[in-house]
Amino acid sequence: MMTLAILKRKLRPVYLLALLIFFSCKGPSSITTVPGTDASEIDGAWELVSLSGENSDTFRQLYPVKKPFIKLSFADNRITGYTGCNSFSGGFTHKEGQLDFTGPFASTKMACGTEGEKVFFETLKQAAAYRLLKGKKMELLAGEQVLMQFRQQP
């Protein structure tokens, strides 16, 4: 017959595995809000820091002079910003945590030396939701895929 001490030793790995599974299913600990909880939290200016699928060298090649940024105003559903080459403005819609940046956008028409502007607009138009992270960061999402990551500007 097994003693209680032997039984506890044999079940310890099972217990630790169960704890590991429980806490790993919780999701990233850096998420402070879920998509779309309070639109006023993302009002303001945001600088692009990364694009999905682009490594840091490619990102620097797309935006060699100045990084793109967006400024969101939920009071009038307006987006303004800079694509890395041209300034732009337009409208967007927000409903129950969903975002729609499909345009149309007005833009200045300076000649751009890279594909950065095209990539920026194509990626922005795919975004359907957002997620706020610690450190004043925001991700724009298509489903669960992170498309763009921004850092809040003062």
Side-chain angles (χ1 to χ4, degrees):
M1 187 176 232
M2 270 199 241
T3 67
L4 186 57
I6 294 171
L7 185 59
K8 282 182 181 178
R9 263 194 313 247
K10 289 188 180 248
L11 290 177
R12 184 174 290 148
V14 173
Y15 175 75
L16 292 174
L17 180 62
L19 283 175
L20 178 65
I21 291 170
F22 175 78
F23 286 109
S24 68
C25 292
K26 204 173 153 184
S29 61
S30 63
I31 296 174
T32 56
T33 63
V34 295
T37 54
D38 184 4
S40 67
E41 293 179 314
I42 66 170
D43 244 16
W46 297 86
E47 180 184 55
L48 184 66
V49 293
S50 70
L51 283 168
S52 173
E54 303 294 343
N55 65 38
S56 60
D57 288 338
T58 303
F59 185 81
R60 281 191 294 274
Q61 289 171 0
L62 287 171
Y63 310 108
V65 178
K66 186 176 175 185
K67 291 181 187 176
F69 68 87
I70 60 175
K71 185 173 182 182
L72 301 171
S73 172
F74 279 85
D76 56 0
N77 289 332
R78 300 291 300 160
I79 180 173
T80 58
Y82 176 73
T83 66
C85 179
N86 285 292
S87 297
F88 74 96
S89 65
F92 69 94
T93 58
H94 176 266
K95 183 178 178 185
E96 297 176 10
Q98 301 300 308
L99 293 171
D100 184 0
F101 295 109
T102 55
F105 296 113
S107 175
T108 57
K109 298 294 181 190
M110 290 178 35
C112 304
T114 71
E115 292 290 310
E117 181 170 82
K118 179 182 173 190
V119 171
F120 177 83
F121 276 133
E122 287 175 355
T123 308
L124 183 67
K125 288 178 180 182
Q126 294 175 40
Y130 68 91
R131 173 170 51 206
L132 293 175
L133 307 173
K134 287 183 182 176
K136 297 185 178 189
K137 291 184 180 176
M138 172 182 62
E139 296 174 335
L140 293 182
L141 311 164
E144 287 298 312
Q145 180 186 3
V146 176
L147 299 175
M148 306 171 103
Q149 189 176 74
F150 292 86
R151 179 178 38 244
Q152 192 171 32
Q153 298 299 293

